[in-house]
């Protein structure tokens, strides 16, 4: 009876086992879109409370208003994974892999070029007063002490990308994966929500251009590290420009 089904050669056992094994980054968390919406609401609440509490803005209050809501949102995203999941290393793939860093640098470099081209076209199309970002508008005409200016530079370049990736391509991405949406749908929707979620309607199209390579880095690696690096590469020149403006070295 077994003659029609000869034993499988030993060399194919490992291959068959690999095909039957679960994917290495299987999502087993217990949080969904509600967690993302909660973190977004927390970000907005902290922003509104700070804006209302400071009254007349000074240099330090502007820095706190810019930095603290982002940190709170990123911290809340990590807390969600610890309470309702397996932590950011497992749920987000937030691990140090040189391959992910190289991928993020490569895709981020391409994204930086596309962003610069899109920004140039955008500034020609828009009115001068409408072309800047919300951050540049907040800091317009403000001369910061060097220490605060460097703090803003480091935040926009290195810290804010981590926090935003935790929220958008961490919580939001993972919530849609849990709903078993295809990776393409997850990429498209998270990119669109990222652009809209900045609440800058005039710049939504430009933010879509910014977000696409960052989402590609997340999609091709399956981990957050690459998208964080790509996001940081993309933020470097804007952060440097704001640093020079806030120090009075460039016109605002």
């Amino acid at each position: 009876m077994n003659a029609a089904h000869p034993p499988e050669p030993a060399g194919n056992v490992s291959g068959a086992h690999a095909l039957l094994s679960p994917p290495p980054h299987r999502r087993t968390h217990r949080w969904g879109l509600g967690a993302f919406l909660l973190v977004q609401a927390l970000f907005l609440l902290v922003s509104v409370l700070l804006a209302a509490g400071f009254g007349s803005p000074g240099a330090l209050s502007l820095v706190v208003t810019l930095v603290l809501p982002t940190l709170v949102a990123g911290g809340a995203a990590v807390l969600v994974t610890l309470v309702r999941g397996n932590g950011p290393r497992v749920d987000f793939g937030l691990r140090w892999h040189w391959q992910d860093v190289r991928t993020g640098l490569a895709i981020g470099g391409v994204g930086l070029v596309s962003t610069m081209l899109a920004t140039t076209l955008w500034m020609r199309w828009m009115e001068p007063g409408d072309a800047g970002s919300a951050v540049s508008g907040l800091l317009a005409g403000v001369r910061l002490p060097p220490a605060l200016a460097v703090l803003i530079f480091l935040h926009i370049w290195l810290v804010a990308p981590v926090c935003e990736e935790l929220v958008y391509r961490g919580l939001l991405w993972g919530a849609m994966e849990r709903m078993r949406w295809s990776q393409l749908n997850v990429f498209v929707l998270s990119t669109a929500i990222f652009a809209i979620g900045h609440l800058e309607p005039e710049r939504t199209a430009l933010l879509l251009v910014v977000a696409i390579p960052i989402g590609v880095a997340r999609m091709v690696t399956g981990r957050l590290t690459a998208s964080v690096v790509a996001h940081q590469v993309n933020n470097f020149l804007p952060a440097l420009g704001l640093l020079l403006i806030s120090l009075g070295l460039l016109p605002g």
Side-chain angles (χ1 to χ4, degrees):
M1 296 295 294
N2 294 333
H5 301 284
E8 184 178 7
N12 293 333
V13 173
S14 60
H17 177 73
L19 292 175
L20 297 175
S21 299
H25 299 293
R26 187 179 181 182
R27 309 301 179 189
T28 59
H29 53 263
R30 304 183 306 281
W31 42 265
L33 288 175
F36 168 75
L37 294 175
L38 177 63
V39 170
Q40 285 290 84
L42 183 61
F43 172 84
L44 292 174
L45 178 61
V46 173
S47 299
V48 170
L49 290 177
L50 288 174
F54 280 125
S56 57
L60 181 59
S61 62
L62 283 174
V63 172
V64 173
T65 302
L66 176 63
V67 171
L68 187 58
T70 308
L71 293 178
V72 169
V78 171
L79 182 61
V80 167
T81 68
L82 295 174
V83 174
R84 298 285 296 171
N86 312 284
R89 284 175 55 85
V90 175
D91 291 343
F92 297 162
L94 191 60
R95 306 173 186 176
W96 183 264
H97 291 286
W98 275 113
Q99 182 59 45
D100 289 350
V101 174
R102 288 192 290 267
T103 300
L105 289 172
I107 296 178
V110 173
L112 182 59
V113 173
S114 64
T115 297
M116 291 173 61
L117 293 174
T119 301
T120 301
L121 295 174
W122 182 257
M123 293 180 68
R124 291 181 179 179
W125 181 35
M126 296 294 292
E127 294 293 332
D130 298 330
S133 66
V135 175
S136 62
L138 185 66
L139 298 176
V142 178
R143 293 295 177 263
L144 296 176
L148 292 182
V150 171
L151 178 63
I152 289 290
F153 166 71
L154 293 175
H155 175 76
I156 295 174
W157 175 31
L158 298 176
V159 179
V162 176
C163 296
E164 290 185 354
E165 290 307 300
L166 288 170
V167 174
Y168 287 99
R169 275 158 286 269
L171 275 185
L172 178 59
W173 192 289
M176 291 188 285
E177 279 188 332
R178 186 169 181 258
M179 298 166 67
R180 300 185 183 278
W181 292 2
S182 71
Q183 287 292 290
L184 180 59
N185 286 337
V186 172
F187 163 73
V188 170
L189 288 173
S190 63
T191 299
I193 294 173
F194 174 87
I196 297 170
H198 280 70
L199 304 179
E200 300 178 53
E202 299 85 358
R203 299 180 70 246
T204 299
L206 179 58
L207 288 168
L208 281 172
V209 176
V210 172
I212 287 173
I214 300 172
V216 168
R218 174 70 166 89
M219 184 170 60
V220 299
T221 63
R223 293 179 293 272
L224 202 64
T225 307
S227 65
V228 168
V229 174
H231 200 153
Q232 290 171 334
V233 171
N234 189 84
N235 276 25
F236 175 72
L237 288 181
L240 181 61
L242 285 174
L243 172 65
L244 298 176
I245 291 172
S246 62
L247 291 175
L249 300 177
L250 284 179

